[in-house]
């Protein structure tokens, strides 16, 4: 009897073992998104579950207030999609799902979060803000313990290699919020914080060895780069920045992922990417293909489907599962962290209907949230085509809040390095006619992809000072790049991404040139803060010639006159302020730099412009 039972147990064991070998039970290794919210505008939420043996699996919720539907599994059984409808009354908590097949079952971890306070989060960005771009890896190392993750070779973290990780992190940004507050910026744009590969690329080219310290090669859309910190640190950063009146902008990259992403060898669907690592087209960057109604289909498809580089697999937003995944991911980061805005990378290589659907989804859940798209084009017709608020020839309004004004940035660099006459600025600004509302554009001073001002041919400190004053006084939302406020040098990428000099965080640690540039930048930011006309007033051209440009910003009864003179001698010019309703007898007083005042006579103010500088005058 006893022996028979033992034999039975042994047979049962062998049977189970055989089943597990020949028809294995499902397993789950990842779920995107891992959390969501009740009463969200996206309901049901679509889950993407990674695992093994998911073929023919069924998914059910252990809680009747979550309803699972539309389950589909890829051919290989390695990915499963499921829609989960969340009852509005369900409180925050853990709500695992069960995936079952004939061979066994596994848990899908999933939970509901309590929403963050919309009164203090998701505030959007307006012309009242000054944005400051930080490349996290190169700003400040606040936590040396994350500088060399276990799976990273020493070469990947070599500070002497400009293409390796240098140790900067989210804690470093938190620690230097007082520096940014003192400078006066009100919004920080951080380069992507998605988890990137920790390894090092080797090749015989000059750009090797290199790493993904910059964050543009995501291997997980739902994880924080381990060199930078974790989700808790990110939330702490947003909370502490908000408490100081500083907003946070996330750099999102929906166009492509890194070639080390697990999807690349095992895509959730055959239509997940445009092509494969072995077989794909490269983007030829014929960027006008979407703008021009006359493009041929091959150029049009190449712009959308071409890979940005051979190691940036291009996501296919025309596959509805991809679009749904990416829109949810964008909303997940906003909801989890409380950020105020998104900078969307390489936006002109994605379908315009996708930009529209993404913008609509963001605004539906977070009405004030702001998104700026990178359309890296020096042609205002191209950038204006992508901003929201008007319908293109293709019948699409992208609803995109803002675009970077690369055309005006380019003009300003030319003018203030003496390569074009000053009147090039108003000539460029006339193309504001192409925008439904040009005050919505984001005016970059520079960014991490461009040569720093002080390393341009013909650059001078006075030129850099006029350039920054122009960015801070012209219409639009100004965006500065870390280090420009201390006149850092740096040629092309990665030279323009040198480590921020630690000493310069303290006023006493800045040398004469750094101090001059910092104090000037801070003074113009303060001027902008103190004068609503400089933030949102109408821009009116008053005077321009080869060496001079004068314009007014006017809002209600407030008028500020801004003047640039790049000649190396002072200059007297008559400004027709009567044409902007400034009456005879009133006084124009300088608001920055040397004290000066001038009375308006016969509709004109005779301004004396100091050499090689920018001035601002208030009307009293
Ligand atoms: Ca660190
Ligand atoms: Ca990493
Ligand atoms: Ca694309």
């Amino acid at each position: 009897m006893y022996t028979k039972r033992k034999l039975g147990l042994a047979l049962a064991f062998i049977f189970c073992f055989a089943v597990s070998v020949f028809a294995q039970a499902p397993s789950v290794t990842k779920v995107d998104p891992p959390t969501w919210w009740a009463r969200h505008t996206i309901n049901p939420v679509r889950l993407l579950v990674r695992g093994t043996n998911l073929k023919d699996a069924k998914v059910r919720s252990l809680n009747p207030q979550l309803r699972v539907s539309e389950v589909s599994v890829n051919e290989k059984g390695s990915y499963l999609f499921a829609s989960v409808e969340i009852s509005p009354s369900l409180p925050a908590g853990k709500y695992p799902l069960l995936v079952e097949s004939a061979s066994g079952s596994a848990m899908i971890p999933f939970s509901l979060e309590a929403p963050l306070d919309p009164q203090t989060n998701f505030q959007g960005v307006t012309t009242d803000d000054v944005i400051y771009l930080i490349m996290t890896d190169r700003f400040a190392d606040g936590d040396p313990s994350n500088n060399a993750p276990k799976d990273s070779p020493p070469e990947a973290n070599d500070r002497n290699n400009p293409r390796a990780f240098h140790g900067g992190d989210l804690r470093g940004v938190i620690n230097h919020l007082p520096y940014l507050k003192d400078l006066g910026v009100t919004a920080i744009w951080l380069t992507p914080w998605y988890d990137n590969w920790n390894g090092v690329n080797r090749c015989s080219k000059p750009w090797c060895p290199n790493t993904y310290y910059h964050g543009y090669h995501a291997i997980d859309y739902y994880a924080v780069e381990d060199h930078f910190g974790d989700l808790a640190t990110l939330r702490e950063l947003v909370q502490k920045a908000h408490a100081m009146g500083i907003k946070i902008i996330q750099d999102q990259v929906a166009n492509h992922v890194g070639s080390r992403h697990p999807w690349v060898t095992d895509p959730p669907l055959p239509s997940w990417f445009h092509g494969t690592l072995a077989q794909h087209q490269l983007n030829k960057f014929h960027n006008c293909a979407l703008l021009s109604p006359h493009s041929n289909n091959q150029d049009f498809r190449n712009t959308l489907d071409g890979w940005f580089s051979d190691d940036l697999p291009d996501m296919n937003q025309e596959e509805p599962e991809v679009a749904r995944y990416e829109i949810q991911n964008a909303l997940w980061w906003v909801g989890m962290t409380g950020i105020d805005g998104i900078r969307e990378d390489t936006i002109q290589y994605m379908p315009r209907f996708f930009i529209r659907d993404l913008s609509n989804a963001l605004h539906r859940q977070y009405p004030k949230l702001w998104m700026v798209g990178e359309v890296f084009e020096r042609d205002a017709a191209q950038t204006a085509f992508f901003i929201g608020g008007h319908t293109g020839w293709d019948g699409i309004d992208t609803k995109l809040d803002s675009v970077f004004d690369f055309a005006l940035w380019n003009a300003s660099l030319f003018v203030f390095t003496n390569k074009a006459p000053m009147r090039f600025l108003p000539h460029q600004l006339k193309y504001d006619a192409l925008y439904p509302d040009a005050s919505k554009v984001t005016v970059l001073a520079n960014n991490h992809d461009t040569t720093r001002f002080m390393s341009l041919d013909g650059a001078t400190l006075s030129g850099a000072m006029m350039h920054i004053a122009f960015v801070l006084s012209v219409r639009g939302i100004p965006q500065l790049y870390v280090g420009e406020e201390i006149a850092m040098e740096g040629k092309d990428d990665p030279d323009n991404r040198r480590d921020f000099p630690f000493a310069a965080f303290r006023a006493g640690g800045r040398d004469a040139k750094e101090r001059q540039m910092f104090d000037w930048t801070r003074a113009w930011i303060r001027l902008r803060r103190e004068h609503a006309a400089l933030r949102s007033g109408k821009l009116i051209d008053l005077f321009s010639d080869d060496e001079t440009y004068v314009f007014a910003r006017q809002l209600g009864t407030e008028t500020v006159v801004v003047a640039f003179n790049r000649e190396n001698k002072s200059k007297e010019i008559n400004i027709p302020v009567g044409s902007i309703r400034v009456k005879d007898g009133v006084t124009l007083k300088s608001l920055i730099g040397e004290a000066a005042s001038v009375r308006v006579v016969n509709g004109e103010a005779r301004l004396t412009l100091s050499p090689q500088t920018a001035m601002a005058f208030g009307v009293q």
Side-chain angles (χ1 to χ4, degrees):
M1 195 64 178
Y2 178 71
T3 319
K4 230 175 167 180
R5 220 170 81 187
K6 224 173 152 182
L7 182 69
L9 277 171
L11 282 172
F13 176 78
I14 289 163
F15 176 75
C16 287
F17 180 75
V19 164
S20 67
V21 166
F22 297 110
Q24 290 183 340
S27 74
V28 169
T29 51
K30 187 164 176 27
V31 55
D32 296 343
T35 57
W36 204 248
W37 298 266
R39 295 176 300 282
H40 195 283
T41 51
I42 292 181
N43 188 28
V45 63
R46 188 82 167 146
L47 303 190
L48 175 60
V49 178
R50 183 191 301 157
T52 56
N53 307 311
L54 300 172
K55 197 106 187 123
D56 302 321
K58 294 200 168 30
V59 182
R60 66 183 173 94
S61 167
L62 301 176
N63 185 304
Q65 293 196 75
L66 290 181
R67 214 174 58 82
V68 181
S69 64
E70 299 179 288
V71 176
S72 69
V73 181
N74 69 350
E75 191 57 36
K76 203 172 153 189
S78 55
Y79 282 96
L80 175 153
F81 296 89
S83 297
V84 178
E85 194 173 339
I86 301 161
S87 160
S89 58
L90 205 54
K94 288 184 164 49
Y95 299 99
L97 308 169
L98 200 63
V99 53
E100 299 167 296
S101 73
S103 319
S105 66
M107 287 288 207
I108 302 174
F110 183 68
S111 58
L112 294 187
E113 287 279 315
L116 297 174
D117 183 359
Q119 298 303 315
T120 52
N121 296 288
F122 332 125
Q123 291 302 297
V125 173
T126 71
T127 54
D128 289 343
D129 289 302
V130 176
I131 303 170
Y132 183 88
L133 163 60
I134 289 176
M135 179 155 256
T136 307
D137 181 60
R138 303 298 162 89
F139 187 58
D141 182 4
D143 179 5
S145 77
N146 58 25
N147 290 2
K150 280 193 185 73
D151 60 344
S152 67
E155 266 179 288
N157 309 307
D158 173 11
R159 277 197 179 185
N160 296 317
N161 178 355
R163 292 183 173 88
F165 282 96
H166 286 192
D169 49 37
L170 298 169
R171 181 65 57 195
V173 181
I174 293 173
N175 293 348
H176 294 96
L177 286 171
Y179 169 82
L180 302 170
K181 184 75 185 167
D182 177 40
L183 179 60
V185 298
T186 66
I188 302 168
W189 155 23
L190 292 171
T191 46
W193 59 60
Y194 307 120
D195 192 20
N196 276 238
W197 186 53
N198 288 343
V200 65
N201 291 308
R202 293 180 179 84
C203 71
S204 55
K205 298 284 188 340
W207 54 84
C208 283
N210 70 57
T211 69
Y212 301 129
Y213 69 92
H214 43 69
Y216 289 95
H217 291 233
I219 55 168
D220 186 347
Y221 271 133
Y222 280 92
V224 175
E225 169 55 45
D226 40 352
H227 283 85
F228 299 165
D230 56 17
L231 187 60
T233 320
L234 186 60
R235 292 176 80 148
E236 182 186 336
L237 165 63
V238 177
Q239 197 191 355
K240 287 188 167 158
H242 283 173
M244 293 174 74
I246 296 174
K247 297 166 180 174
I248 299 289
I249 299 165
Q250 180 188 9
D251 203 329
Q252 294 198 353
V253 192
N255 184 59
H256 46 249
V257 293
S259 56
R260 303 278 177 168
H261 197 296
W263 289 337
V264 176
T265 48
D266 180 20
L269 293 171
S271 51
W272 200 250
F273 294 115
H274 293 124
T276 64
L277 204 56
Q279 197 163 26
H280 57 263
Q281 55 176 316
L282 274 176
N283 196 323
K284 293 176 185 153
F285 301 112
H286 291 166
N287 292 343
C288 61
L290 267 55
L291 168 67
S292 173
H294 314 299
S295 300
N296 67 60
N297 192 52
Q298 199 172 322
D299 288 344
F300 186 87
R301 291 310 329 169
N302 176 264
T303 301
L304 293 176
D305 305 354
W307 290 25
F308 195 85
S309 73
D310 280 325
D311 66 345
L312 287 171
D314 200 76
M315 299 288 290
N316 175 18
Q317 292 86 13
E318 280 157 280
E319 161 57 57
E321 293 286 11
V322 169
R324 213 164 160 181
Y325 179 96
E326 293 199 311
I327 288 170
Q328 288 183 177
N329 180 248
L331 281 145
W332 185 83
W333 283 109
V334 179
M336 288 302 287
T337 61
I339 54 166
D340 306 286
I342 292 169
R343 178 267 186 184
E344 188 66 50
D345 188 59
T346 52
I347 202 166
Q348 60 175 332
Y349 308 121
M350 296 190 284
R352 284 162 52 82
F353 75 80
F354 174 73
I355 305 172
R356 176 199 63 205
D357 294 351
L358 174 59
S359 300
N360 280 339
L362 287 164
H363 292 143
R364 204 175 292 130
Q365 180 68 24
Y366 306 107
K368 289 160 85 175
L369 199 93
W370 175 87
M371 180 162 71
V372 57
E374 183 210 19
V375 181
F376 201 145
E377 282 301 316
R378 291 166 177 83
D379 180 348
Q382 179 92 2
T383 46
F385 181 58
F386 279 89
I387 203 168
H390 60 159
T391 303
W393 64 266
D394 55 0
I396 293 168
D397 176 347
T398 62
K399 305 289 177 79
L400 181 62
D401 297 299
S402 186
V403 289
F404 292 104
D405 192 349
F406 284 100
L408 193 63
W409 159 80
N410 182 59
S412 184
L413 295 186
F414 266 70
V415 160
F416 293 116
T417 54
N418 296 303
K419 295 186 195 82
M422 283 292 286
R423 59 163 61 90
F424 190 31
L425 292 175
H427 281 205
Q428 182 57 51
L429 282 162
K430 74 184 175 216
Y431 295 112
D432 280 2
L434 299 170
Y435 289 98
D437 179 356
S439 74
K440 290 189 182 299
V441 302
T442 302
V443 185
L444 67 153
N446 254 325
N447 69 28
H448 53 318
D449 294 325
T450 66
T451 300
R452 285 190 179 277
F453 190 96
M454 290 305 291
S455 292
L456 294 169
D457 290 340
T460 56
L461 186 61
S462 60
M465 291 165 79
M466 284 187 277
H467 170 65
I468 218 79
F470 179 69
V471 167
L472 287 165
S473 58
V474 74
R475 91 286 180 270
I477 303 165
Q479 177 253 300
L480 314 182
Y481 175 43
V482 58
E484 296 283 295
E485 78 278 17
I486 52 164
M488 275 179 81
E489 294 178 11
K491 290 194 176 294
D492 287 353
D493 162 13
D495 193 41
N496 52 5
R497 300 164 176 190
R498 295 179 200 175
D499 297 353
F500 190 88
F502 192 78
F505 280 128
R506 293 179 302 103
R510 291 171 208 140
D511 66 23
K513 189 175 76 174
E514 289 170 343
R515 191 162 55 244
Q516 200 180 348
M517 190 70 193
F518 182 92
D519 292 352
W520 174 261
T521 307
R522 185 171 57 175
W524 277 88
I525 294 173
R526 187 187 302 127
L527 196 68
R528 188 179 172 92
R529 188 165 63 238
E530 289 171 351
H531 297 276
L534 275 179
R535 301 194 300 272
S536 50
K538 184 175 161 55
L539 188 151
I540 305 158
D541 288 332
L542 291 173
F543 182 89
S544 63
D545 63 12
D546 285 358
E547 305 295 334
T548 316
Y549 179 34
V550 183
F551 60 80
R553 300 290 310 274
Q554 202 166 45
L555 182 71
T557 56
E558 189 187 29
T559 301
V560 176
V561 173
V562 186
F564 299 84
N565 172 28
R566 70 174 191 193
E567 262 189 289
N568 56 9
K569 56 179 191 285
S570 67
K571 181 168 179 174
E572 289 199 0
I573 41 172
N574 289 337
I575 303 299
V577 291
S579 70
I580 52 167
R581 308 187 318 272
V582 178
K583 294 197 167 66
D584 282 3
V586 303
T587 305
L588 266 64
K589 265 194 158 161
S590 67
L591 298 170
I592 196 162
E594 283 174 52
S597 72
V598 59
R599 269 163 61 91
V600 177
V601 180
N602 294 331
E604 290 193 332
R606 189 158 181 80
L607 296 182
T608 304
L609 304 185
S610 303
Q612 295 183 328
T613 194
M615 300 175 84
F617 299 87
V619 176
Q620 309 214 316

